Amino acid sequence: MKRGDPIKKVTIALIGSQEFCRQARSIVLPHNMRIDYYQYDRPSDAPRLLKTMRPCHAILFSGSLPYEASKQVLQTLSIPAFHVQQNEHTIAVTLLYLASEKNMAIHDISIDIKELTHIEQILQDLGPLSSIQKPAIHELQANTDLQAVVNFHMEHVKSGKSKLAVTSVHAVYDQLQAAGIPSFRMLDSTSNILRAMEHAVQQADFARSEATKIAVGVLQVHQPEKLPQDTIEKLANYLQAQWKEKEGSFFFYTTLGTIEFVFALKAFVQFCESLQSASTLSFGLGLTTLEASDNAMSALQLSKQADDIGVFMLDEYKKLHGPMPAIKPAVAMRLDDPNLLKISEKTTLSPAVISKLTLFDEFRQSTPFTANDLAGYLAVSRRTAERTIKKLMDQQFVVSVGEEMTYSQGRPRALYKMKLTI
């Protein structure tokens, strides 16, 4: 950054209870950070707040419960989201405060926490577990019923098993206070909150750099008479892309950030759906335009084998995403399996080819295939596909299972089956 250049601020949407937001507002923020606050009464209100959120670069939740409650909505968003982690330090600071300021013994409290191991480690550090009287502990789960947590504390305090309820959930604290139950909120240390904010900023910066990745779109037209004349220009405008025609396909040069943005637009999704009867659209990512173009062509071939119809994208790590914009787990195309690495060594085929072959077999549900089928999938010539099959057959990773006769004249096509196991 040059001297005198303005600092690019990262905006974080902080979603938390009234008390948490009050504490967060007291923190002196770095110059590169801005916080927009969204307060809830109960963690289950967090998903509703997400729908009122102004544009931001990252989302930070005050704890795991509002984060877990919001997961379904978060899947529809393209920005990173995190929550402030409850750790051993948070619990230890709270217990120290209660011992020094409230003269409260550890066995005189009931406590709810996210990870049971955190408090067990603290007790272990204090001495042998057999010699320490434990507090009553309730472990919070992702789908925790807050009323059950309230009842846990009320039962222990009213029965005299504990003198003070210590809770990690502000909504639980409010209910306990209203019921006249002696209660205390887990202390959120300022340093822990600030670390969470700084982590959110770092990840937001990373996401912004990811958005500038080179992306190439390929539109392969099957029935040009069905496409409106302005289709290419309209698609280029949506993608803010330069384009060129090559061998009957149209290539659009853009960025990942632009693709993520336009797929969040209902109008663009409908536009893509209108193209499906006459063309196929796919995207590829890469460190260079050549790599991104190759990946886009691979995504085009992969989409023809998929059960679902739509737009697919192959990233620089050879993971297939789609159909877009629905959020689905990426299909891994990397060779992490040691057995597949051995196949690569035995056949002298590249790891990328072996990875594609495993997906090819998966997409076809292990049904027999021809050299033409494989050539179309790999986007190579039939001769190249036949050489690939021969290498696999030499090591018995492909076997011949018969012949297919599709025409009244001409040679029948050999049928093969994959056996990619060691």
Side-chain angles (χ1 to χ4, degrees), residues 333 335 340-341 343-345 347-357 388 391:
M333 292 185 61
L335 278 181
L340 296 183
L341 286 171
I343 295 174
S344 175
E345 293 169 0
T347 60
T348 71
L349 294 170
S350 72
V353 170
I354 298 297
S355 186
K356 288 181 181 180
L357 290 172
T388 299
K391 288 182 178 181

Side-chain angles (χ1 to χ4, degrees), residues 253-269:
Y253 302 93
T254 182
T255 64
L256 174 59
T258 302
I259 292 172
E260 290 178 338
F261 173 77
V262 294
F263 270 107
L265 302 176
K266 185 177 181 180
F268 181 73
V269 174

Side-chain angles (χ1 to χ4, degrees), residues 132-406:
I132 297 177
Q133 289 182 273
K134 293 183 181 180
I137 303 171
H138 183 96
E139 189 172 18
L140 300 171
Q141 305 296 328
N143 58 348
T144 291
D145 177 8
L146 294 191
Q147 190 57 51
V149 183
V150 172
N151 293 342
F152 161 79
H153 287 296
M154 291 182 69
E155 177 188 336
H156 280 80
V157 172
K158 286 184 175 180
S159 66
K161 295 177 183 177
S162 64
K163 298 178 182 178
L164 181 71
V166 180
T167 179
S168 307
V169 186
H170 291 173
V172 170
Y173 172 80
D174 291 339
Q175 287 194 53
L176 292 172
Q177 286 284 296
I181 301 296
S183 49
F184 188 81
R185 277 191 298 261
M186 189 82 70
L187 295 175
D188 293 306
S189 69
T190 297
S191 60
N192 196 37
I193 297 173
L194 185 57
R195 274 195 300 270
M197 291 176 174
E198 289 171 341
H199 176 71
V201 168
Q202 292 170 0
Q203 294 303 307
D205 281 337
F206 175 74
R208 288 200 289 188
S209 68
E210 288 283 288
T212 64
K213 279 183 178 177
I214 297 170
V216 174
V218 175
L219 183 72
Q220 192 174 76
V221 180
H222 316 304
Q223 296 176 292
E225 69 279 2
K226 288 188 176 182
L227 286 182
Q229 290 185 352
D230 64 343
T231 294
I232 305 304
E233 289 297 334
K234 193 172 182 179
L235 184 55
N237 288 337
Y238 267 123
L239 297 173
Q240 302 177 39
Q242 293 183 329
W243 65 273
K244 70 176 182 181
E245 184 178 4
K246 181 181 178 183
E247 298 177 356
S249 295
F250 297 89
F251 290 75
F252 301 83
Y253 302 93
T254 182
T255 64
L256 174 59
T258 302
I259 292 172
E260 290 178 338
F261 173 77
V262 294
F263 270 107
L265 302 176
K266 185 177 181 180
F268 181 73
V269 174
Q270 292 174 338
F271 172 68
C272 288
E273 290 172 350
S274 73
L275 304 178
Q276 289 175 1
S277 62
S279 62
T280 304
L281 176 64
S282 67
F283 291 96
L285 305 181
L287 299 178
T288 65
T289 54
L290 179 60
E291 181 187 358
S293 298
D294 288 344
N295 286 339
M297 291 301 295
S298 294
L300 197 67
Q301 299 303 320
L302 290 168
S303 68
K304 294 176 182 178
Q305 309 293 328
D307 294 330
D308 297 324
I309 298 174
V311 181
F312 288 79
M313 179 171 68
L314 189 67
D315 66 24
E316 70 274 29
Y317 304 110
K318 305 302 179 185
K319 290 183 179 179
L320 185 68
H321 305 262
M324 300 166 72
I327 305 300
K328 292 187 176 182
V331 180
M333 292 185 61
R334 303 177 76 181
L335 278 181
D336 299 322
D337 187 337
N339 289 334
L340 296 183
L341 286 171
K342 291 178 182 177
I343 295 174
S344 175
E345 293 169 0
K346 283 178 174 287
T347 60
T348 71
L349 294 170
S350 72
V353 170
I354 298 297
S355 186
K356 288 181 181 180
L357 290 172
T358 61
L359 275 186
F360 174 70
D361 194 40
E362 181 180 330
F363 277 125
R364 293 186 64 86
Q365 298 181 349
S366 299
T367 58
F369 64 93
T370 67
N372 277 346
D373 293 330
L374 185 60
Y377 182 86
L378 297 178
V380 297
S381 67
R382 176 172 172 166
R383 185 178 295 274
T384 298
E386 289 173 340
R387 285 198 295 266
T388 299
I389 291 170
K390 184 178 186 308
K391 288 182 178 181
L392 291 165
M393 289 187 73
D394 287 345
Q395 300 297 327
Q396 299 182 334
F397 294 123
V398 162
V399 295
S400 177
V401 294
E403 292 181 335
E404 172 187 77
M405 190 68 175
T406 56

Side-chain angles (χ1 to χ4, degrees), residues 10-42:
V10 173
T11 300
I12 299 172
L14 192 152
I15 299 177
S17 65
Q18 181 177 352
E19 177 59 27
F20 185 89
C21 290
R22 182 199 63 75
Q23 183 179 356
R25 281 190 172 95
S26 68
I27 297 174
V28 178
L29 300 176
H31 295 303
N32 66 334
M33 188 188 304
R34 169 192 162 138
I35 307 292
D36 288 338
Y37 297 92
Y38 301 86
Q39 296 179 185
Y40 61 70
D41 294 324
R42 299 175 65 86

